[in-house]
Structure formats: C-alpha cells, structure tokens
Amino acid sequence: MTVGAPLLETQALTKRFGGVLAIDRIDFSVEPRELRCVIGPNGAGKSSFFKCLTGLARATSGRVLFMGQDITRADPCHIARLGIATKTQVPNVFDGLSVRENIWIAANRHSISGVQAMKASENTIQRLGLSTAANAVVGQLAHGARQWVELAMIVVANPKLVLLDEPTAGMSGAEIFRVEKLLNELKSTATIIVVEHDVKFIRRIASHVTVLHNGSILIEGPVATVLSDTRVRDVYLGRHSVT
Amino acid sequence: MRDVCNSGTLFVVGVATAIAVLIPQIVNLYLVIVYSNLAIMALFALSLAWVWGYGGILCFGQSAFFGLAAYVYAVSVINIGESTAPFLLAVLVPTVFAAVIGALMFYGRVSDIYFAIITLCVTLILYSLISSTAGPQFHIFAARLNGQNGISGFRPLNLPGRSDDVLGPVESFYVCMTFLIGCYVALKFLLSSRFGRVVVAVRENPVRAELLGYDTRWTRTFVFTIGAAIAGLAGALFAVWGTYVNPSLFDLRMAALVIIWVVVGGLGTLAGPMVGAVALQYLGNVLGKQQLANTGMIYGFLLIVFVMLVPQGVFPTMQRLISRWSLRRSQYEMKLLGDDISKGMQGR
C-alpha cells in the first residue's frame, strides 16, 4: 500500500439480486484511520454494500480493493483474515455460548495459542466492563447487551477496518454513549465505516458522511454540509425521488 | 483438560469400564456376543452424535460409512487372510470417501436440508449397487459379492500379525469396549481443544464464524470425516462380530435407526446417543422374541413420542431433572447478571 492510498476502495461496484439493482456502480473510498458514516433511507443499498465488502454477497460487477488487494471474489473468512471485522444489522453472536466463549472464539483466530487467546479475551472483557456477565449465556441477554458482546468480538480481533451496521439499534441513551466512546478509542487503531440512522449520533462521531439512495451515492462530504443539503432531506422525507 | 476431566465424563468412562470388565465375568458367552453388538451400535451412534450433535451436520446416510467399512473388511480379509490390514483398510476407505463427498458438498455450499437428502441418497445408491451384484461376475478378486445374500464365513479379527491367534467372543468384546471408550474420550479431548470450540461455534452460527475468519467449509469437512471414520470403525467391528455382511446395512431402516438412537438418547451429548443405541437395540432384541407387534412400528411410535414429549432426548432431560434446583438458582442469577451488564456498560 502506498502512502496516502485509501485503505478500502470500491470501483463501479454493482450488485444485482435477480431483477433488482441493489447497488449501482458505487465508487467509494476511505482513508486509513477515518470514521465514515454511511446513511440512506430503507432500501438504499447500505446492507447490500456491506455484504459485498465482507464477501457475504458476490458483486455482480466492479471491484473491491482492500489495501490495494482485490477482494471482490474472496470468501468471507479470507476477507476477515485480512483484518476486516464486521457487525451485522441483527446481533450476530454465538447464542448458545457464554460471553467469555464468544470473545475467546473471536480472539482465537488471531492468536498463536489458546492461552494467548484467553489473555486477549480477558483483557477485552475487562476493558468493556463485561466481567460480571462473562459466564452468562449470550442468547439469554437483552438485545443491547448482545450488541455489546458483538462489539467486544470486534475489538478483540484488533482489526484494520471495522464495518458496523447500525451498532446502536435497540440501545438506551447511556449505552449509545458507551458505543460512541468505544468508537473514538477504536479510531486510533482502525478505520471504521458505520451505517447509522441516528443523526445526533452521526454528528458526534463522524467527520464525513456518504449518503446512499437507490443503490448509488447521492452525496458525500463533511457532516454539516451533507446533512443540511436539501436533496438529503428530500430523500429522507420521501418528498420526491432523486435520480 | 478441564473439560475432559469433569465429573460427567469420568462417570461415563467409569461405568463403561466397569461394564467392559464385569460383563464377561457375570454373563454367559451368548450374552457376551449380544453385548458386543450393543457396544458396536453404541459406537455407531457416537459417530452421528458427533457429526449431528456437535458439528450441526444432519447426515442421514451415516450408515453408508458403516456398511462400506463392513464390506471393505469382508472383501479384503477374504483376499488378504490376515485381519490387521483389512481392518485398517475398512476404516480408511469410508474416511477417504467421506472426505471427498464432504468436501464436494461443503465447498459447493450445499444447504443443510440438501446435505441430509444427498447423504441419504448415497447410502440408498450403495444399497442398490450392492444388491445387484448377485451373479458370479461380481467379485473383487477372490471375494464374491453375492448380491442380496451378502458375504459370510470370512475370518474374524486375529491378533495383529499373528493370523493363527483368532480372537474369541470375550476378547472381541474387550476390543469393542476399548474402541468405544477410546473414541468417546478422544472426542471429549477434541471438543475441549481449540479446534473443538471452533467446531461448536460453527454449529452455533456459521455466518458469524466465517465473519471471524474461520473457514467453515474446512471445519465441517473435517468434522464429517472424523464422524465417518468412527462409523467406519463401528462397521469394521460389526463385520468382525458377525462374520456376515449383506446389503441391508445400507437400507433405509439402518439409516433411520441411528437417527432414532440419537434423537431418543439426546442430541448435543455424546453419552446420550450411546445409551439410546444400547437401550433401543436391547428393546429390539426383546421385541424380536414376540409376535404381537412389528418392531419397526414400535420404533416409529417411540420416535414420535420422544420428538413430541421429550424433544431433547433422555440424557439431557435426566441431567435437567437432576439439576432442576440449580437451574432455578441460575435463572435468578441470570436476571442479576442482566442488571450487571447494563451497569457495566454504563460504568465504563
């Protein structure tokens, strides 16, 4: 990777599900250590875009480059091994396992030994205030707590790029504040792309925002500029369709 | 290690060892032979308990590997004579076979339900194939396959390298019990290892496991292959036990039977399906002596009763009943923990 090159870049990325064009020739890039928010109304293509980045869906055409490497056709496990950690929209955890086991599984992939994985997961458990719940079965926890466990699984993997699909959904105000604090900590070591709806939250965490609409990028730029743009308001309020 | 040396595992190993040592001392030779068969079926059930209960892979054709191993032993022992190489070959062939079809299906991203259907088809295809080998032209070197009549009268197991020292019923019983206990302990070790935890994680949520960087296709192929090796071991022991194999090893009844053992014994445990196999086979032996009701019908009825009334199987239900009081306590603790997590998140 050359200096100044984007960490992640998509070139004319297109995904078609049957007759539906979910994402349409998206050219997108993020710089190292950037925190970028991706917003857009329902059906704008945000989750499909994430799926193409993580390998859960294969792009119909176009390219995804991570640190200069083409990962368009790579499998999810190989993409994850390059240092891309993902939080999906619905909490995606090992429901039958304990909090400790969940985090251990995430740490184990990158550890030389089981003991090293244990140390890394214990550190993360401490850091995220999960000590008292460490032995609880994740499936029995509340929605917000399960999201928090999933974030812990991302933190322990020490990723280069973090993809978060609605990380604060179903969380209380205090919990959202903790997520914000965690993202600010993560920003020092990783690039983060967040899909969010909560405008207040976006204003607090991000400097740049990308707006998706009908599968393409509508506008991209500094938070204040983008959020005050009339086209963005129209799209969210559904006043008229922007092409 | 901690997981292997827990009280449950030690209890199971203790009981199995006691059975292995005491049975030949207290029962007659005929019953020793009957119990050897039960041990073999328990080993067969253990293979599916691993693949389905821990790997989360519903293999409807586990009997294909069992039957294949039995046939490989029969054919190769007729050709070779001394039993060591045929026995090893009998385990190796189904293992390689499973690795190949497993890799094809898992790397081909075949969904769970189609996996079950395809594996069932594999065993039924083998059934048709072997059944239609009646003529004298169907032979593998010196071994004639004999179609529906099967192969009989081949040599049982002898001491490795000493073809004159053929094992008697009691020694064979010891061999079966040793393999049964050995496989159980080996699987417990595997489950407590780093790899074993990944296996369980893949069962719990394959998508999450992929997103963490685990290649679930490889993990599942490996789990499936290990299961086939154990089923193969059971099949080889079965051929040795009866010195008789026929195509019914590949039929629908055999394929369904092992599923019933696992469901009745308890999916998600290793000991449960072993107990299920022994109990139901024993029941089958008893029912076989009466003329009032068809054994298959009673098995079918039992399966329905268990699926509806005891869906978790006998073993986990018993475990739950025993620890009911502690469960109540843990539910209360769970509630406290929920409060603690939100406090922990706020207190960061």
Side-chain angles (χ1 to χ4, degrees), chain A residues 105-212:
Chain A
I105 291 285
N108 178 56
R109 180 67 202 88
H110 312 273
S111 305
I112 313 161
S113 68
V115 178
Q116 197 200 29
M118 188 69 86
K119 277 184 191 156
S121 46
E122 289 305 321
N123 281 341
T124 305
I125 286 168
Q126 290 283 329
R127 188 176 154 198
L128 270 73
L130 284 162
S131 304
T132 46
N135 293 323
V137 177
V138 172
Q140 295 181 5
L141 298 177
H143 183 83
R146 289 165 76 217
Q147 302 250 70
W148 192 242
V149 171
E150 201 174 0
L151 286 172
M153 290 164 82
I154 286 173
V155 170
V156 80
N158 219 355
K160 295 188 184 77
L161 174 65
V162 178
L163 304 174
L164 304 173
D165 200 345
E166 300 190 22
T168 62
M171 283 188 170
S172 69
E175 287 170 339
I176 291 173
F177 182 63
R178 300 307 137 197
V179 173
E180 184 188 330
K181 216 173 137 195
L182 181 67
L183 291 189
N184 281 327
E185 284 172 29
L186 265 179
K187 214 158 58 168
S188 61
T189 55
T191 304
I192 307 171
I193 306 176
V194 186
V195 165
E196 254 304 336
H197 285 300
D198 186 344
V199 173
K200 275 190 210 156
F201 183 70
I202 294 166
R203 282 185 200 280
R204 289 206 303 265
I205 59 165
S207 55
H208 278 68
V209 181
T210 300
V211 184
L212 291 189

Side-chain angles (χ1 to χ4, degrees), chain A residues 37-59:
Chain A
C37 272
V38 176
I39 63 170
N42 285 336
K46 307 182 296 288
S47 291
S48 301
F49 180 57
F50 261 26
K51 277 185 182 162
C52 286
L53 299 186
T54 55
L56 286 178
R58 282 271 156 86

Side-chain angles (χ1 to χ4, degrees), chain B residues 3-340:
Chain B
D3 294 343
V4 176
C5 295
N6 67 21
S7 54
T9 308
L10 290 177
F11 176 75
V12 172
V13 171
V15 169
T17 311
I19 290 171
V21 174
L22 292 177
I23 286 287
Q25 319 294 330
I26 54 176
V27 302
N28 62 40
L29 214 53
Y30 169 72
L31 283 177
V32 169
I33 295 169
V34 171
Y35 291 152
S36 297
N37 179 269
L38 296 184
I40 291 164
M41 294 308 160
L43 185 60
F44 184 29
L46 183 69
S47 76
L48 189 66
W50 158 253
V51 170
W52 189 16
Y54 287 88
I57 305 160
L58 172 53
C59 173
F60 216 133
Q62 196 70 3
S63 52
F65 310 119
F66 183 86
L68 196 60
Y71 262 89
V72 168
Y73 178 81
V75 167
S76 51
V77 83
I78 289 171
N79 284 301
I80 296 172
E82 204 270 334
S83 72
T84 313
F87 193 79
L88 294 175
L89 212 57
V91 180
L92 188 69
V93 170
T95 308
V96 173
F97 180 58
V100 172
I101 62 167
L104 280 174
M105 283 190 281
F106 292 121
Y107 281 83
R109 303 252 183 221
V110 169
S111 69
D112 292 353
I113 184 71
Y114 284 106
F115 186 90
I117 294 169
I118 291 169
T119 47
L120 179 63
C121 289
V122 166
T123 194
L124 295 180
I125 288 168
L126 284 172
Y127 175 76
S128 298
L129 208 67
I130 301 285
S131 299
S132 54
T133 56
Q137 71 272 33
F138 296 108
H139 62 90
I140 300 172
F141 301 109
R144 266 193 62 179
L145 295 173
N146 297 330
Q148 286 287 0
N149 294 327
I151 311 170
S152 59
F154 47 85
R155 286 172 56 93
L157 216 54
N158 56 256
L159 284 177
R162 292 161 64 177
S163 55
D164 294 335
D165 289 332
V166 173
L167 299 186
V170 174
E171 288 91 352
S172 294
F173 177 72
Y174 288 142
V175 169
C176 293
M177 288 304 290
T178 308
F179 276 124
L180 179 62
I181 297 168
C183 285
Y184 173 76
V185 173
L187 286 180
K188 280 282 177 186
F189 263 107
L190 194 58
L191 279 170
S192 71
S193 71
R194 287 175 83 187
F195 177 74
R197 293 178 199 197
V198 174
V199 168
V200 173
V202 169
R203 175 197 68 189
E204 285 289 316
N205 189 340
V207 175
R208 174 39 80 194
E210 284 267 345
L211 289 175
L212 289 175
Y214 294 105
D215 193 340
T216 58
R217 300 163 299 183
W218 189 87
T219 310
R220 285 176 153 175
T221 305
F222 190 78
V223 167
F224 184 61
T225 307
I226 297 267
I230 296 171
L233 183 60
L237 288 170
F238 180 80
V240 166
W241 171 80
T243 63
Y244 172 59
V245 294
N246 73 0
S248 74
L249 296 176
F250 298 106
D251 69 7
L252 190 59
R253 185 182 165 278
M254 194 68 179
L257 211 51
V258 64
I259 302 262
I260 297 174
W261 295 339
V262 174
V263 169
V264 170
L267 189 64
T269 64
L270 290 180
M274 297 199 293
V275 174
V278 170
L280 288 181
Q281 276 300 92
Y282 189 80
L283 182 73
N285 292 345
V286 174
L287 291 173
K289 290 172 189 160
Q290 53 83 44
Q291 304 287 321
L292 281 171
N294 180 285
T295 316
M297 274 180 66
I298 295 175
Y299 272 166
F301 178 71
L302 264 178
L303 179 67
I304 294 169
V305 167
F306 269 89
V307 167
M308 293 184 77
L309 300 179
V310 202
Q312 287 186 306
V314 174
F315 212 71
T317 306
M318 267 166 52
Q319 281 175 331
R320 231 193 17 234
L321 286 175
I322 291 165
S323 60
R324 181 168 262 185
W325 66 273
S326 65
L327 194 79
R328 278 202 194 123
R329 219 177 64 185
S330 75
Q331 274 170 349
Y332 175 66
E333 283 166 357
M334 232 29 243
K335 192 189 162 299
L336 293 183
L337 276 175
D339 299 343
D340 274 349

